[in-house]
Amino acid sequence: MAKVASHGAFQGENPLDYALPLIILQICLVIVVTRGLAYILRPLRQPRVIAEIIGGILLGPSALGRSTKFLHTVFPPESMTVLDTLANLGLLFFLFLVGLELDIAAIRRTGRKALAISLSGIALPFALGIGTSFAFRATIIKDKKDSPQAPFLVFMGVALSITAFPVLARILTELKLLTTDLGRMALSAAAVDDVMAWILLALAIALSGNNHSPIISLWVLLTAAAFVAAAFLLLKPALTWMSRRCRAGEPIKELYVCATLAAVLAAGFLTDVIGIHALFGGFIVGVVVPKDGPFAGMLAEKVEDLVSGLFLPLYFVSSGLKTNVATIAGAKSWGLLVLVIANACVGKIGGAVATALLVKIPVREAVTLGFLMNTKGLVELVVLNIGRERKVLNDEAFAIMVLMALFTTFITTPIVMAVYKPARPSAPYKRRTVGCDDGADAGGELRVLACFHSSRNIPTLLNLVEASRGTRRSKLTVYAMHLVELSERSSAITMVQRARRNGVPFFNNSGGGESGQPVVVAFEAFQQLSAVRVRAMTAISDLDTIHRDVVDSAAGKRAAVVVMPYHKELQHDGTFQSLGSPYHAINKRVLREAPCSVAVLVDRGLGGAAQVAAPNVSFSVAVLFFGGPDDREALAYATRMAEHPGVAVTLARFQPPPESSEEVADADDEAAVEAFKTKVGMVKDGSVRFEETEGRSKEEVVEAIVSMAKVNVFVVGRMPAAAPALVGNADELGPVGSYLVSPEFRTSASVLVIKRYDPATNPKSKRFDPKAGPPAATEEDVLDEAEMGRSNTVVPVLSSPMSDTA
């Protein structure tokens, strides 16, 4: 394989005999296999690293590679140098990303409990790893001279004592545990473990050189320490200088990206020259990059997609091609596999659990913490591959250790889900609807959780909020939640790690780099111009579970109504295009489980492309009232909008046919309409009007609605009591709302479809028991309430066995 590219099949040449077409085929095959496995394992909530490790093993000699023809055609021996080079180059930059995730300042603030758990989670498995190494050397290491004892002991100890920080962060995020006390403690302990593991690995590499002289090993360690010191003393000031010149919301200069990536490569070259592997150089550069400001996040966005999506899976395949499960043959080998798994679990889980119990962490949390700390992953494979390259591990020992890492990581998620079921927040508040006929104070504060998927929804959302603010006597507080899909990108995990509540990161004025983001700036500017209190926040989660963030936040913030964006976006031709079935499912789950009323906002550009200033709001609102709880809730919301001096509201009451009026008539409906009529009489400028229309047939109702098509907003109930079937499928928006967004109804009006909270029809919302005692306020609650001017209602923080002091 001397040449790079072939002249083509038509010239009689086989492209697979040349380096470039062969590596392209290998990359494509790796991506298809690993992504396919990731999709298959997704229902099991497994991190993608599991699929990539399994994919590598399947492509190797353990499965597909058993076919000599396949192995020599797709992965011939002469191509492995190119594959390993690309894989290690990708790994070099991935470990740079891992270093970006590690904040040394945060590790310094690690509490005593987390530090104790981390140290015990290293010491005990390290000791058991050394003990296991003697069994290995006595059983499967044939030539003791080729496998020096000291490096072998250290490699085995490091392999059993590692906790994979990036993989653990992903698992905690998937399980909604990242920002709980348990998740914070696990991540803090894992961060300390990660740093300790790299130090121990550097020691193992230094000891495993070809020259077994202790003087040489000492020189390697001292030079490596000097390199680290130089990185902090010389490189960090330069990176800090570049970081200070990066502004949030502005593109990062190409020169800064190029200089940083060149520094990663140069550091990798220096550490390879020293003799501690090029990967250390990339990791150290990532650690010294300043974490304050947007610089680190921008670097991650530039690098991670190409590295994590394309090159990193090559490393797992490279490892899989070296893993031959068939080498584990005989009772002794399988017994060693069981021994290694048992020692890994007993050491890591036992050490963490014992220490957690000693520091008075409850048993269930302690056991969960132990299993979380037993997570392995990429760093484990790095250790094993380096050990194999240095001939410290033979093929059989390598295969056993890879299967151990795969097994311990695979069991983490299902066991944690079975053992630890955190209590959902219970919200003891009365106002769960806009219309307060349940005893709550109708003139009191209205809390709204308004969700959106992209910045294009912000102008409509802000204009709706401004139009809904009511009078100064009835205050409005809005929590604007940006719903972001959790991806496999490192930047997503980094953002989630800054969260203060369960799965819901908050942006605030003290949030460092986040405060300058355009989304936050828009809401802060709106709050300055309006009488509405606004708090911007972001939920980053998998689309299958992000509704839990919405539902739990609504309960935690004591919201009376949740505003969800419609799952379709408006196109230039006036039609709607679906964002996908997962977004539709989010809305249906929120409608089913929310602890308060829910409104679905269909955005047709309310107020134009930019926010309309508060004094200039001039909207016309039409309420289509057929009767029933949902329509009464819609009328209550529109009545609040009518209090705004720049909003004109028209109530169109559709009377049922005379023959069915006795069956449909409802005293609550009549009371709601009479209350609105009273308001009509009080308003002298004619901005509030009442119209009564007979809804005898579908045609009459459609004609009446078409006559009001020029309004800015339609407010309707989701399931009216006596509305005719205007459309065939009325799932998310109900019969009237679905017609208002159908292609046959031409209008530029946005639509707000409201479903009133009713525990009888929302069985899953009953877990938010209105009679339950208030939960202890978290640090975020205290900050939130202080900013909202209601700090006197915060429940004092109770002492918790999971709380920690630094």
Side-chain angles (χ1 to χ4, degrees), residues 762-801:
N762 288 41
K764 290 194 175 183
S765 68
K766 292 181 180 179
R767 63 189 175 94
F768 299 96
D769 184 6
K771 299 179 181 178
T778 63
E779 176 189 355
E780 176 61 37
D781 290 327
V782 176
L783 175 64
D784 180 27
E785 296 293 346
E787 289 189 5
M788 295 302 182
R790 291 173 55 89
S791 56
N792 59 328
T793 64
V794 176
V795 182
V797 179
L798 303 178
S799 59
S800 168

Side-chain angles (χ1 to χ4, degrees), residues 568-579:
K568 296 181 180 180
E569 280 191 343
L570 185 68
Q571 304 301 301
H572 293 294
D573 59 357
T575 61
F576 285 94
Q577 182 176 356
S578 176
L579 297 174

Side-chain angles (χ1 to χ4, degrees), residues 354-377:
T355 307
L357 293 175
L358 286 176
V359 294
K360 299 181 180 179
I361 291 177
V363 176
R364 189 183 295 269
E365 284 82 352
V367 173
T368 305
L369 199 55
F371 278 99
L372 289 171
M373 295 299 293
N374 198 35
T375 302
K376 310 295 182 187

Side-chain angles (χ1 to χ4, degrees), residues 50 52 131 200 216 249 331 384 467 525 607 641 647 664 672 681 707 722 737 770 780 791 802:
I50 291 290
E52 290 169 336
L200 293 173
I216 299 298
L384 299 179
M641 298 175 76
V647 177
V664 179
S707 67
E780 176 61 37
S791 56
M802 288 295 294

Side-chain angles (χ1 to χ4, degrees), residues 195-215:
V195 174
M196 293 296 295
W198 285 106
I199 295 173
L200 293 173
L201 181 57
L203 173 63
I205 293 174
L207 294 174
S208 63
N210 293 330
N211 189 330
H212 301 313
S213 169
I215 300 298

Side-chain angles (χ1 to χ4, degrees), residues 596-665:
C596 58
S597 295
V598 179
V600 179
L601 175 61
V602 180
D603 182 6
R604 281 197 177 106
L606 176 62
Q611 176 203 338
V612 179
N616 300 325
V617 173
S618 181
F619 296 151
S620 56
V621 178
V623 187
L624 308 181
F625 190 91
F626 294 87
D630 291 352
D631 276 26
R632 293 197 298 271
E633 185 75 347
L635 180 57
Y637 196 98
T639 301
R640 186 181 182 92
M641 298 175 76
E643 297 175 0
H644 195 290
V647 177
V649 177
T650 300
L651 170 61
R653 170 76 183 277
F654 290 87
Q655 289 285 5
E659 60 272 13
S660 62
S661 59
E662 294 182 0
E663 300 177 8
V664 179

Side-chain angles (χ1 to χ4, degrees), residues 566 716 727 729-743 753:
Y566 188 41
V716 299
V727 292
N729 183 13
D731 180 24
E732 179 183 349
L733 301 180
V736 180
S738 296
Y739 172 75
L740 293 175
V741 300
S742 63
V753 181

Side-chain angles (χ1 to χ4, degrees), residues 100-424:
L100 282 178
E101 292 180 7
L102 280 179
D103 190 349
I104 298 298
I107 293 177
R108 291 196 194 111
R109 296 191 297 269
T110 299
R112 290 192 296 268
K113 292 181 181 180
L115 184 60
I117 292 170
S118 175
L119 295 179
S120 64
I122 292 177
L124 183 56
F126 192 87
L128 290 177
I130 292 176
T132 307
S133 67
F134 289 106
F136 265 79
R137 288 179 63 81
T139 307
I140 64 175
I141 303 296
K142 308 301 184 202
D143 192 345
K144 306 295 190 295
K145 295 180 180 178
D146 290 342
S147 180
Q149 184 171 4
F152 187 74
L153 298 181
V154 178
F155 266 102
M156 288 296 295
V158 173
L160 264 66
S161 60
I162 283 176
T163 297
F165 177 83
V167 180
L168 178 62
R170 173 79 44 194
I171 290 174
L172 289 170
T173 306
E174 289 281 353
L175 299 180
K176 309 289 185 186
L177 296 177
L178 185 63
T179 52
T180 61
D181 289 335
L182 180 72
R184 290 185 184 121
M185 189 168 295
L187 210 58
S188 297
V192 176
D193 271 11
D194 226 23
V195 174
M196 293 296 295
W198 285 106
I199 295 173
L200 293 173
L201 181 57
L203 173 63
I205 293 174
L207 294 174
S208 63
N210 293 330
N211 189 330
H212 301 313
S213 169
I215 300 298
I216 299 298
S217 299
L218 179 61
W219 270 113
V220 170
L221 287 176
L222 291 177
T223 311
F227 167 79
V228 174
F232 278 91
L233 295 176
L234 302 178
L235 181 59
K236 188 171 184 177
L239 293 172
T240 303
W241 181 85
M242 288 187 284
S243 175
R244 289 174 179 170
R245 279 155 182 77
C246 290
R247 301 288 183 268
E250 298 179 2
I252 185 173
K253 289 186 177 180
E254 183 268 343
L255 177 62
Y256 296 166
V257 177
C258 183
T260 306
L261 298 184
V264 173
L265 294 173
F269 173 78
L270 289 176
T271 51
D272 191 78
V273 169
I274 292 170
I276 57 169
H277 209 286
L279 305 179
F280 282 93
F283 177 74
I284 294 299
V285 174
V287 169
V288 300
V289 169
K291 304 304 186 291
D292 297 332
F295 185 60
M298 290 179 178
L299 284 175
E301 289 181 0
K302 294 288 184 180
V303 177
E304 62 190 345
D305 287 337
L306 182 65
V307 171
S308 301
L310 201 61
F311 291 119
L312 189 61
L314 295 181
Y315 189 80
F316 293 100
V317 171
S318 176
S319 299
L321 292 172
K322 302 167 189 172
T323 305
N324 190 355
V325 178
T327 59
I328 309 175
K332 287 185 178 180
S333 293
W334 287 104
L336 273 178
L337 175 60
V338 174
L339 176 65
V340 169
I341 292 176
N343 282 349
C345 294
V346 169
K348 201 70 177 177
I349 299 171
V353 170
T355 307
L357 293 175
L358 286 176
V359 294
K360 299 181 180 179
I361 291 177
V363 176
R364 189 183 295 269
E365 284 82 352
V367 173
T368 305
L369 199 55
F371 278 99
L372 289 171
M373 295 299 293
N374 198 35
T375 302
K376 310 295 182 187
L378 176 67
V379 183
E380 175 88 4
L381 286 186
V382 171
V383 172
L384 299 179
N385 275 282
I386 293 176
R388 190 179 182 280
E389 291 170 5
R390 299 296 177 104
K391 299 187 183 303
V392 175
L393 302 174
N394 63 10
D395 290 347
E396 188 176 352
F398 181 81
I400 289 174
M401 298 302 291
V402 168
L403 291 183
M404 179 273 294
L406 183 63
F407 177 82
T408 54
T409 305
F410 190 89
I411 65 173
T412 299
T413 299
I415 290 181
V416 169
M417 291 176 65
V419 172
Y420 186 67
K421 293 181 172 59
R424 294 296 171 191

